[in-house]
Amino acid sequence: MLQSKTRWKINECNEEQVQQLADALSITPLVAKLLINRGIDTVEDAHAFLNIENQDFHDPFLLEDMDVAIARIKKAIELEEQILIFGDYDADGVSSTAVLLSTLNEMGAKVDFYIPNRFTEGYGPNEEAFKWAKEEGFSLIITVDTGIAALNEATVAGELGLDLIITDHHEPGPELPDALAIIHPKKPNSVYPCKDLAGVGVAFKVAHALLGEVPTSLLDIVAIGTIADLVPLSGENRLIAYKGIKKLQVTSRKGIKELLKVCRVDANEINEDTIGFAIAPRLNAVGRLDSADPAVHLLMTDNVEEASHLANEIDLLNKQRQQLVNKTTEEAIKQVEEQYPLDDNAVLIVADEDWNSGIIGIVASRLVDKFYRPTIVLSVDQESGLAKGSARSIEGFDLFANLSKCRDILPHFGGHPMAAGMTLQLEDIEDLRYRLNAIAQDVLIEEEYVPITNIDTTCSIDEVTISTIEQIGKLAPYGMNNPKPKFLIDNVNISDMRKIGTDQAHLKVVLEEAGSQLDTIAFRFGYLYDDISPLSRVSVVGDLAINEWNNNRKAQLMLQDISVNEWQLFDYRGTKDVEKLIELIPSHKLQLIIFNEQTISKLQLSEYENVIYKVEAHDDVIDISSKHVIMVDLPSSIEQISLLQHAGLPERIYALFHHEQDHFFTTIPTRKHFSWYYRFLVQKGSFDLNRYAEKLAIHKGWTKETIEFMSKVFFELEFVKIDNGFISISNHTEKRDLTESITYRSKQAQLELERTFSYSSYQQLKHWFDNNNNKGSQEAVNEWI
């Protein structure tokens, strides 16, 4: 067996509904399943989804307070008031700031932006920033991607005589700030169709309302923030992402073009992954380590030299961020392993005063990946007595809802079900740990601590064609609520498997089923090469792609997980280094089976005494069903090895079958040999074995051992007498079969053992174990002897 890394959760759907949708839209059933599993189960909805480029953006005035906000902004522009855009320091906040800044500049407004410093000011609006704005002559503040939790700051703004418009998308609390207008798709009683807009999506709707038309020129920036913030890519968000990616591919923004150069990305190949893994991390890195202002300037600049300088500066910050994340992650993992064992901690909370608060969210994600527990990473400030934290969760544990139960010790807190940020007093950390662990123990069951892979559907190899993969591509761009489809190909053969890459860290596998084959690439799975035996049937999970090379196009699977759901046989017969084989097996799985006591000393295995089981003829059978078993030596009878199988086959058998004496390649006398030798003895009357056995063997082309063997068999059958090496015919005349001789039967049995276990082919040995699984020992003996 080979356990998968995750729990596989396969979506099911109605086959009749699948076929109806496939027929109506002229698509393959595989694509129809993908649509239905995304909740797109009508012909109308599916047609709209597959033809997203023909959809329209929603009316921005469906957002409550939009009319109030637009009227106030236009008044400020008309009266030449100073407007301040108050943003956030992540990629969503930076792009939100750039969207509104570009729009207001286009409208001739007197506008500037302000993004608080993560380290000196923390998240969200703050009193000091608002006081500064008042002193600088600003009369209108518009927040983007922040502000929904700024109850006190909204009151301060009113007291200062500042008008405050809040645009945000984070979860609203039970009380809303007292602002002139709040533009938020999730406000109570909101009728806006797309409630999952990113902060930049909300800013985009404000820009739409201000300009009176969809500002398509801004879509490249809007797509960056939308994809970076991991909001569901459905509805209007998907339209933003789709059209924004198209816009990015032909963008004229000098800052983005220079950043793409730094990332070594060809504009024609830009997709959602480009944003998620190249652009967004770099924009995020700026605000994680310092002021986020350079990221805004990069998006806004029209100067090539400035753009190049900013892009390289941001790339350098990203490299520093990566190093810092790696170091902090190592320290956090060590803290978990030494102080917070998983058996006692359903929620992990780690803290240190040396940790940079700008990267703790990434570290929290890394810890979730490693330990699969809801995790909070805290950066401690001993002087202020405060800890700033970032939290990431797992499926089944709603962070926002559960942290909301601890609001009394979380003066600053906000976020989503899967991610949150907070500030708390140092003395409250243990209380928070206690409360969240108690909640988690109530709401999470044991299996929920194992990561889940959500699989769209099972498919056969012959369904995987280039045409089908091209149809699947119509579901892009992928993201939250519209993930890249994952497929299960179940219980198929491997026709070829080899390690690839300079460090042999990857696998290339050819899967085979009913005559169809599929190339599979498994990045970073090279370590499993020795864990999959030649005849094993595997189940694999991955996404489908088209490999284009040298003008050839082939379908392939990009493997993400693999399992073997049957016992496996590994052939190590002839191996001299037993210890090297032992090192391959996890210690908690290791079980050595020994049939002969002498083998332990001969192979120097005494240090493994605690995992050695010595099989005896009528011994009690141990349960080896969950073990990786090394059959170290050859049994003395098939009955011995059959005894082990009463409890079922183990997960793996490593066949070594060491033995000293080799019967398989010695001469086995036939009945003709016995007949000739008997007649010879009759003629001689008496024969000196000590003096003449070897000469007789040479004369007949036999071995001396053959003469000795036949002599012993005749003696046991009472055909001859042996006295001081002289053999002579006995007076016993009763006819008896050779098989009545213990020596003869033993020789035949040992020969059969060697033939079955030592000199059979891999396929024959596997077949023997499969056929004899759970059979009684006598039945096995009868079948094979």
Side-chain angles (χ1 to χ4, degrees):
M1 296 187 74
L2 176 66
Q3 292 292 333
S4 58
K5 296 189 297 182
T6 62
R7 283 183 290 146
W8 295 353
K9 186 177 178 182
I10 305 171
N11 284 322
E12 303 289 345
C13 49
N14 183 284
E15 290 298 329
E16 185 177 344
Q17 188 180 24
V18 167
Q19 197 58 53
Q20 288 175 353
L21 195 62
D23 292 342
L25 294 170
S26 298
I27 57 177
T28 67
L30 209 56
V31 176
K33 286 180 184 178
L34 299 179
L35 291 167
I36 291 170
N37 286 338
R38 284 158 173 70
I40 306 161
D41 53 9
T42 68
V43 173
E44 182 181 356
D45 288 346
H47 185 270
F49 188 89
L50 295 174
N51 298 279
I52 186 68
E53 68 275 9
N54 299 324
Q55 302 306 302
D56 294 322
F57 290 96
H58 300 307
D59 181 354
F61 287 98
L62 291 174
L63 285 159
E64 186 181 353
D65 282 355
M66 183 66 83
D67 53 346
V68 177
I70 297 306
R72 180 64 186 91
I73 295 170
K74 286 185 174 179
K75 179 182 177 183
I77 295 172
E78 182 182 344
L79 298 178
E80 298 186 348
E81 296 178 59
Q82 291 192 68
I83 304 172
L84 183 67
I85 301 169
F86 195 103
D88 188 24
Y89 36 64
D90 66 1
D92 188 15
V94 164
S95 54
S96 301
T97 302
V99 162
L100 215 49
L101 196 59
S102 297
T103 302
L104 293 177
N105 279 334
E106 182 181 337
M107 297 178 73
K110 290 184 176 181
V111 61
D112 204 349
F113 74 94
Y114 185 99
I115 295 179
N117 186 290
R118 183 192 293 263
F119 306 101
T120 59
E121 298 173 81
Y123 172 79
N126 62 83
E127 290 187 31
E128 293 304 313
F130 280 10
K131 290 176 182 177
W132 169 87
K134 180 66 177 179
E135 291 171 2
E136 292 295 314
F138 292 96
S139 56
L140 174 61
I141 295 178
I142 308 171
T143 72
V144 289
D145 191 35
T146 187
I148 196 63
L151 301 177
N152 178 62
E153 290 75 14
T155 300
V156 169
E159 292 170 352
L160 292 170
L162 292 168
D163 281 341
L164 177 65
I165 296 173
I166 293 173
T167 78
D168 200 356
H169 74 120
H170 295 93
E171 293 291 332
E175 182 181 353
L176 298 181
D178 184 14
L180 175 68
I182 299 176
I183 313 297
H184 195 303
K186 288 187 178 178
K187 281 174 67 176
N189 304 316
S190 171
V191 297
Y192 195 73
C194 183
K195 300 191 186 303
D196 294 312
L197 290 171
V200 71
V202 180
F204 178 68
K205 302 314 295 184
V206 174
H208 184 177
L210 281 169
L211 296 170
E213 61 182 8
V214 177
T216 55
S217 61
L218 297 172
L219 280 169
D220 47 2
I221 299 178
V222 184
I224 291 172
T226 297
I227 292 172
D229 212 55
L230 301 179
V231 294
L233 281 195
S234 55
E236 194 168 32
N237 282 340
R238 183 161 183 266
L239 182 60
I240 287 170
Y242 178 85
K243 293 198 170 184
I245 289 171
K246 297 292 185 187
K247 186 70 177 175
L248 267 174
Q249 292 171 349
V250 295
T251 187
S252 60
R253 294 183 191 278
K254 294 178 173 58
I256 292 178
K257 291 174 77 171
E258 290 300 318
L259 191 62
L260 291 173
K261 282 184 185 178
V262 166
C263 300
R264 298 179 181 177
V265 171
D266 184 341
N268 294 321
E269 297 177 356
I270 291 174
N271 58 22
E272 62 273 20
D273 288 339
T274 309
I275 295 171
F277 298 107
I279 298 174
R282 287 170 170 80
L283 294 182
N284 275 322
V286 186
R288 291 187 189 282
L289 300 186
D290 205 338
S291 166
D293 289 8
V296 177
H297 293 311
L298 178 79
L299 296 177
M300 296 297 297
T301 186
D302 199 36
N303 182 284
V304 175
E305 290 183 4
E306 181 186 20
S308 178
H309 171 75
L310 287 169
N312 282 285
E313 177 187 344
I314 288 170
D315 187 56
L316 180 60
L317 283 170
N318 187 54
K319 289 175 182 174
Q320 294 172 2
R321 187 270 307 168
Q322 290 171 329
Q323 294 172 354
L324 192 58
V325 166
N326 292 338
K327 178 176 180 292
T328 306
T329 301
E330 289 175 6
E331 293 170 356
I333 289 172
K334 185 178 180 182
Q335 192 175 127
V336 170
E337 292 175 341
E338 293 181 354
Q339 300 179 41
Y340 306 109
L342 300 186
D343 289 345
D344 302 326
N345 289 271
V347 177
L348 299 176
I349 300 180
V350 291
D352 196 284
E353 59 184 313
D354 292 327
W355 292 347
N356 184 310
S357 61
I359 52 92
I360 54 178
I362 304 174
V363 176
S365 294
R366 294 269 187 95
L367 294 187
V368 171
D369 288 342
K370 181 170 180 62
F371 299 113
Y372 205 68
R373 294 286 191 280
T375 300
I376 300 176
V377 179
L378 297 165
S379 174
V380 170
D381 185 343
Q382 294 289 355
E383 286 188 18
S384 66
L386 294 175
K388 295 179 181 177
S390 273
R392 299 293 183 269
S393 197
I394 64 176
E395 192 169 322
F397 191 83
D398 187 325
L399 262 182
F400 185 81
N402 292 315
L403 284 170
S404 294
K405 299 172 184 176
C406 307
R407 282 183 180 274
D408 57 307
I409 58 173
L410 298 175
H412 295 285
F413 151 68
H416 310 289
M418 298 299 287
M422 71 211 69
T423 302
L424 70 159
Q425 298 287 332
L426 297 186
E427 59 264 27
D428 290 328
I429 293 176
E430 282 304 317
D431 188 19
L432 182 65
R433 179 179 286 114
Y434 174 80
R435 292 197 205 180
L436 289 181
N437 269 290
I439 293 170
Q441 287 165 6
D442 283 341
V443 302
L444 292 173
I445 59 176
E446 185 176 350
E447 71 170 15
E448 289 179 302
Y449 294 110
V450 178
I452 289 177
T453 295
N454 289 301
I455 299 170
D456 288 86
T457 187
T458 300
C459 69
S460 59
I461 291 177
D462 61 6
E463 288 182 277
V464 182
T465 65
I466 289 176
S467 173
T468 296
I469 296 173
E470 287 174 338
Q471 285 189 25
I472 292 169
K474 296 276 285 181
L475 275 67
Y478 302 117
M480 296 294 290
N481 280 27
N482 183 35
K484 182 174 287 189
K486 291 185 180 68
F487 300 91
L488 168 63
I489 299 178
D490 194 31
N491 201 35
V492 294
N493 293 315
I494 293 177
S495 68
D496 184 50
M497 177 172 64
R498 64 182 186 272
K499 292 183 182 181
I500 59 173
T502 53
D503 54 359
Q504 301 286 280
H506 318 301
L507 289 179
K508 182 171 184 181
V509 183
V510 179
L511 303 175
E512 186 173 39
E513 179 186 35
S516 298
Q517 292 189 335
L518 178 64
D519 287 352
T520 301
I521 302 297
F523 289 115
R524 296 178 296 280
F525 278 84
Y527 68 95
L528 288 182
Y529 181 82
D530 293 320
D531 287 318
I532 302 172
S533 61
L535 292 185
S536 292
R537 296 177 68 83
V538 299
S539 297
V540 297
V541 171
D543 56 80
L544 301 175
I546 297 174
N547 179 27
E548 299 191 31
W549 182 78
N550 202 22
N551 294 322
N552 288 320
R553 305 176 82 217
K554 284 187 75 175
Q556 69 179 10
L557 178 89
M558 309 304 292
L559 187 140
Q560 296 174 2
D561 207 353
I562 184 168
S563 73
V564 177
N565 297 318
E566 59 184 2
W567 81 279
Q568 294 191 88
L569 174 67
F570 295 87
D571 194 348
Y572 280 83
R573 290 174 293 182
T575 296
K576 303 296 183 185
D577 194 343
V578 183
E579 289 197 35
K580 189 173 182 181
L581 170 57
I582 290 172
E583 288 172 4
L584 294 175
I585 302 174
S587 57
H588 69 285
K589 290 284 188 181
L590 179 62
Q591 180 73 65
L592 275 64
I593 300 294
I594 301 285
F595 296 98
N596 301 289
E597 181 80 30
Q598 298 85 349
T599 302
I600 298 174
S601 57
K602 285 177 181 176
L603 298 183
Q604 300 178 342
L605 299 175
S606 56
E607 65 179 289
Y608 302 104
E609 194 75 42
N610 62 321
V611 291
I612 289 176
Y613 176 71
K614 295 183 285 291
V615 180
E616 297 181 11
H618 300 291
D619 208 349
D620 291 334
V621 179
I622 62 167
D623 183 4
I624 55 174
S625 57
S626 63
K627 296 294 186 178
H628 295 182
V629 170
I630 300 178
M631 298 284 189
V632 179
D633 56 0
L634 203 60
S636 58
S637 68
I638 288 182
E639 185 176 17
Q640 266 193 322
I641 203 166
S642 297
L643 274 170
L644 291 169
Q645 296 184 249
H646 280 294
L649 287 165
E651 290 183 2
R652 300 182 187 180
I653 291 177
Y654 291 83
L656 186 60
F657 292 128
H658 169 83
H659 57 287
E660 296 289 327
Q661 187 178 3
D662 205 327
H663 294 260
F664 189 74
F665 293 108
T666 60
T667 302
I668 305 299
T670 66
R671 292 184 181 274
K672 287 184 178 180
H673 291 109
F674 280 102
S675 178
W676 184 92
Y677 186 43
Y678 186 79
R679 290 196 305 273
F680 171 81
L681 293 176
V682 169
Q683 291 174 358
K684 290 290 183 183
S686 178
F687 183 70
D688 188 346
L689 289 172
N690 293 333
R691 292 183 62 185
Y692 300 114
E694 190 165 355
K695 288 183 179 180
L696 177 62
I698 293 171
H699 172 71
K700 292 297 293 181
W702 299 341
T703 64
K704 184 181 178 183
E705 288 76 17
T706 301
I707 300 294
E708 292 171 345
F709 171 72
M710 289 192 294
S711 298
K712 189 173 182 181
V713 171
F714 283 163
F715 179 77
E716 290 175 353
L717 296 175
E718 299 179 345
F719 291 169
V720 300
K721 295 180 290 185
I722 299 177
D723 185 16
N724 291 324
F726 281 88
I727 184 170
S728 59
I729 297 296
S730 70
N731 296 324
H732 180 80
T733 57
E734 182 182 342
K735 188 175 182 180
R736 299 177 67 180
D737 193 82
L738 294 174
T739 57
E740 295 182 53
S741 162
I742 294 174
T743 297
Y744 185 86
R745 291 202 309 271
S746 176
K747 181 81 169 178
Q748 293 290 352
Q750 198 62 31
L751 176 63
E752 191 61 41
L753 282 170
E754 291 179 16
R755 178 182 291 117
T756 301
F757 299 116
S758 294
Y759 299 109
S760 56
S761 68
Y762 175 90
Q763 290 88 344
Q764 288 170 333
L765 186 59
K766 177 76 162 53
H767 177 75
W768 188 91
F769 278 108
D770 283 332
N771 270 16
N772 288 278
N773 183 28
N774 290 324
K775 286 186 179 181
S777 59
Q778 190 57 53
E779 185 181 347
V781 171
N782 291 340
E783 182 171 333
W784 286 91
I785 293 184

